[in-house]
Every structure is written in C-alpha cells, then in structure tokens.
Amino acid sequence: MAVYLLYEAASGYSLFLAHGLDQIGQNTEAVRSSVSDLNRFGKVVQLAAFHPFEQALDALNQCNSVSEGIMTDELRNFLELNLPKVKEGKKPKFSLGVYEPKLGSHIFEVTKIPCQSNEFVLELLRGVRLHFDRFIKDLKPGDLEKAQLGLSHSYSRSKVKFNVNRVDNMVIQAIFLLDTLDKDVNSFSMRVREWYSWHFPELVKIVNDNYLYAKLAKTIRDKSTLSEDNLEELTDIVGDEDKAKEIIEAAKASMGQDLSDVDLLNVQQFAQKVMNLSEYRKKLYDYLVTKMNDIAPNLASLIGEVVGARLISHAGSLTNLAKCPSSTLQILGAEKALFRALKTKGNTPKYGLIFHSSFIGRASARNKGRMARYLANKCSIASRIDCFSDNSTTAFGEKLREQVEERLDFYDKGVAPRKNIDVMKSAMESTQSKDTEMETEEVTIETSEKKSKKSKSAATENGDVDEPATNGDATEGKSEKKKKKKDKRKLDKEDEEMVDANNGHAEEDGASKKKKKKSKHGEADGADLASDVKKKKKKKSKSEDSE
C-alpha cells in the first residue's frame, strides 16, 4: 500500500510519496536513524506535489484551520487533484499520513481518503521537515526561514488578539490584586495601630475602623495639641460628635509617651500611604464590578461580582468555567480537601469557593450541601450563557437568582418553586421584548433624523432658511393676512346688521348658511361675499334717498 505524506509548510502545502516501505516489522528507532541521512531518505520519500500560498494572510488562514483540525477548500482541492481517486465500494490502495489526528479524521469524513497518524508517519514527517528545502528546488537559502518567522509572528499575534468587551484576563488579574491588597492593607493598618499606640494608646479602643484610625493618626499627629478647636474637624472624620469629644478627653488624660517630630512625621507619612492603598482598593473593586458586568453579567447578578471573579480566576478563564460541569464547579477551590478525602476514604467536601456566596450562609446546616449543589447548577448555566451568547443581558442571571431564592423558601417553608422551563421562557420573553424596544427606538431615531434632513434640504432648495431673519418678508406676509381677516370680519358684521334691519329672522338663517359655506370654501368665496355686501349697501343707500 502506497503511503502519501501531507506536510504543511510555511510556504505552502506539499505532498510526498513514500514508496518501497513495508510498515510491518518497521522499528521506529531504525527509521529515526535513517531519517537524518538525506541519501537514504531521498530514495524512499519523493515530492509528489507542491501548492504554494499566494499571500501571508492566506498562509495564516490555512495555519489556523489546520491547528483547529479543519480541512479548507484549498486543501481539499489540492488533495483531490494530486491523490488517486477513491472508487465507491472499493478499498483504496493508498493512505495519507498526517501530523494532526483531528485533521485526518475530518479529511476522511469529507473525502473518504484513509488517513493515519502514528509514530512511523511522524518520523517520516520529521525527515520531510528536516530536508524540506532540498526537495523544493526553486527555494532560495533564506526564503523558508523568512516565511516561517513571518507566519509564526502573525499566528501568535492572531492568537493573542482578544475581544475588549469579553476579556476575562483583566478580571483574573484584578481579583488577584484585590486579594493581595486586602492582606497588605490589613497588615499595614495593624502596623499603624501598633506604631501610633505608643503615643496615643486610648485611640485604638475608641476607633475600630482601620481607615478612620489612619486618617485620625494623620490629622491628630501630636495628642498634646488637641483641644476644643479641633472638635469640628474630628466630627467630620469620625461622623459622631460624642466620639470626637471622647477622643479629645482621652488625649488630655493619655498614658502614651511623647514622640519626636521626626517620628511623628514618619507615622503621618505611613498613615497617608495606608489611606492611599485603601482608596485604591475601593477604585479597584469598582473596576472589577464594571468588568464583571461586561464579561459575565448573568454570573455576577446570580452569585456576586467577587465570588464570580474568584471562580473565573480559579478555572483559568470564563470558557474553562463554562466547560466545567456543575459537580466540578461545586467543589472548585477545595481540591486539597477532596483528594485528602479520597485518600483517607472520608467524606468529600460539599463546597469550595461557592461557600462565600450569601445563599450558602442563609441555608440551614442540614441544607447547606443541597443548596451548594443547586447553586453550582445555576452558576454553570449562567457561565455558559455568558460565554457563548452574543448579547450581554442580566435577565437570565436575575431569573436564576429568583430560582435560588425560591429553593431557599422551599427548604425553609415548603413553598413549591417554579419549574425551570417556565423561568427560562419568561427570561427569553423579557430579552426579546428588550430587543424589540431597542430596535423600535433605533428606527424612530433614524426616521426623525431623515425627516429633519428632508426638511433642511427642502428649505435650502426654496431658499427660505435665512431669508426671514434678514429681509423680514415673513413678517410682512403675516401682517397682510391679519388685515385681510379684519376686513372680512367687518364685512360680515355689516351684512348681519343689514339682514336684521330688512328681512328679520328668516334671513338670519340664510346669513348663517352663507357663513358655513364661506368656512367650507375658504378664501375663494370671500371675494363673492364682499361683492354681495357692496350691492346690498348700494340698495340700502338708494332706499334711504327715496325716503
């Protein structure tokens, strides 16, 4: 059986034919020793075909697909053109040796070409890689090294690239730094207490908070200078006037020793450093909360930002956490206790990092294990939604949190919780309604913008944008319209008076009908009414002359 070797080089795909080999009885050590000799290796392995890559981007795409075990169209065409055709219903008389077993299985699924990847094939491919520049005649001495260097840089750069909104490495570093800051701030604040207690020992019992103690040590400095004038300043720091008075009274009757100005200055500087560290710790916590809401909003809303960040950092990434089953997530962080229990055949731990959640603390001692198992199940669902969903939303995390609350009530009071299907349906409906609202808002904004653009374009075409402010034609047009309306009203009044004098109530109805017609027909009938009124005026004047 003929053996073909597929070698993916930085410059292109190459196909080698290994003929005259009997794999039965072959020793890998003998092959390994013969591979280094080009004269012996060149008689057995010969170049069958070579397909160079056109561009560096093409080489990068092919390298990515090969590393993931996917056969591209370019590789498929290359194999189908250069390998013997496989007839249906008959066993092929050749096999293809590949370096990646996943790639070989994918090639076999698509093209039915039999592939193999064993130690014998790997040694042959090692020889091909060693003598590749000798097989390709057109390659110059430094071309292959340049291609390998450029492809390695671009491949590593593409692997390092990440999505800014979904980078979980920042969360891992932030939670590690937060833990170290907690330890450092606690140790430094204890050092401040111990150092300043030589001067003012009574302050330790009055103020328990580390940040407030460091702030007071910085502001008080020398206890002998404290008086009633410092009461307002101390109340602003402590927040309680009685406690501030207690500090002043304790300073007056303090048993501490006096310190020099240099020592007090060093204590003050160290207290300022502790304050800066604690303030930076608060800012880092806010940063962690925002990053967790961007990366894993459902996990953060379910179990909290800090516990969720600890789970992600312990798993290594959000993807690794999503791949973990709920049983692994439940004891994540308690590996030592688990293996100790397995070794001594004792009871395995019920919870790991998930114990820091408030739900486990609220559960009774009898139901802590059940609650940990249920919470781990919901955390695994939330992490998978956060990892693989395209839209970031907290709807699923909120619904899962409601489920955990219902399960707590079920353990304590016996209230039956909702089914998981109903809860997930309601979460899906809420996300869909939010998406539709967002789409409608975007459509309304676009339509309003289009209308404003159209109105602006129409105004610019007619030349009416700047003319009203400069020429004053619009004000003149308005005044003319007002005059016309006044004239019409006067004519209507005169018409009514004439009808009342001559014809009585019957003609009043006619006048009202004329008014309705006038309102319907508009300005076109205004001129006719005016002419009728003028005629009636003439008749009236003639009747008065005859009298």
Side-chain angles (χ1 to χ4, degrees), residues 139-156:
L139 282 177
K140 294 178 183 179
D143 289 345
L144 187 61
E145 286 78 6
K146 289 179 182 178
Q148 288 174 351
L149 185 64
L151 182 60
S152 62
H153 278 295
S154 57
Y155 179 73
S156 57

Side-chain angles (χ1 to χ4, degrees), residues 330-342:
Q330 181 182 352
I331 57 170
L332 205 66
E335 287 84 2
K336 288 184 179 179
L338 175 67
F339 292 120
R340 193 190 309 118
L342 292 174

Side-chain angles (χ1 to χ4, degrees), residues 393 395-397 399 422-432:
T393 176
F396 292 98
K399 295 294 181 182
D422 300 334
V423 176
M424 290 296 106
K425 281 182 181 178
S426 63
M428 289 289 291
E429 289 173 359
S430 63
T431 52
Q432 288 175 0

Side-chain angles (χ1 to χ4, degrees), residues 163-310:
N163 186 1
V164 179
N165 296 322
R166 297 228 170 208
V167 54
D168 48 5
N169 190 24
M170 299 297 110
V171 170
I172 296 169
Q173 299 298 328
I175 194 65
F176 275 130
L177 183 57
L178 198 67
D179 291 338
T180 54
L181 273 177
D182 286 336
K183 294 177 183 177
D184 294 341
V185 167
N186 285 330
S187 60
F188 290 160
S189 58
M190 290 302 294
R191 183 61 54 197
V192 169
R193 283 173 176 270
E194 193 172 336
W195 197 354
Y196 194 67
S197 293
W198 287 99
H199 179 64
F200 193 2
E202 291 82 7
L203 188 63
V204 177
K205 296 180 180 179
I206 298 170
V207 179
N208 295 320
D209 188 56
N210 293 330
Y211 181 75
L212 288 179
Y213 188 89
K215 203 169 184 180
L216 285 170
K218 178 181 174 292
T219 53
I220 293 171
R221 195 175 177 182
D222 191 1
K223 64 181 179 181
S224 61
T225 58
L226 274 180
S227 62
E228 297 295 333
D229 299 333
N230 304 113
L231 184 62
E232 292 183 0
E233 188 178 1
L234 292 177
T235 50
D236 291 337
I237 296 170
V238 179
D240 189 4
E241 190 175 353
D242 296 334
K243 193 173 283 188
K245 288 180 181 178
E246 188 178 355
I247 291 168
I248 293 170
E249 290 175 359
K252 291 177 181 177
S254 178
M255 297 292 291
Q257 65 181 7
D258 294 332
L259 295 178
S260 63
D261 293 336
V262 178
D263 296 335
L264 288 172
L265 183 63
N266 284 320
V267 172
Q268 190 178 13
Q269 289 177 353
F270 187 58
Q272 183 63 45
K273 295 290 183 184
V274 173
M275 288 168 58
N276 294 336
L277 274 177
S278 59
E279 287 171 0
Y280 175 67
R281 196 261 179 205
K282 292 177 183 177
K283 292 179 182 178
L284 186 66
Y285 176 74
D286 295 336
Y287 167 75
L288 179 64
V289 169
T290 53
K291 292 301 288 183
M292 279 296 294
N293 289 326
D294 291 338
I295 295 164
N298 293 300
L299 186 64
S301 60
L302 171 62
I303 203 171
E305 290 83 4
V306 177
V307 182
R310 289 185 199 281

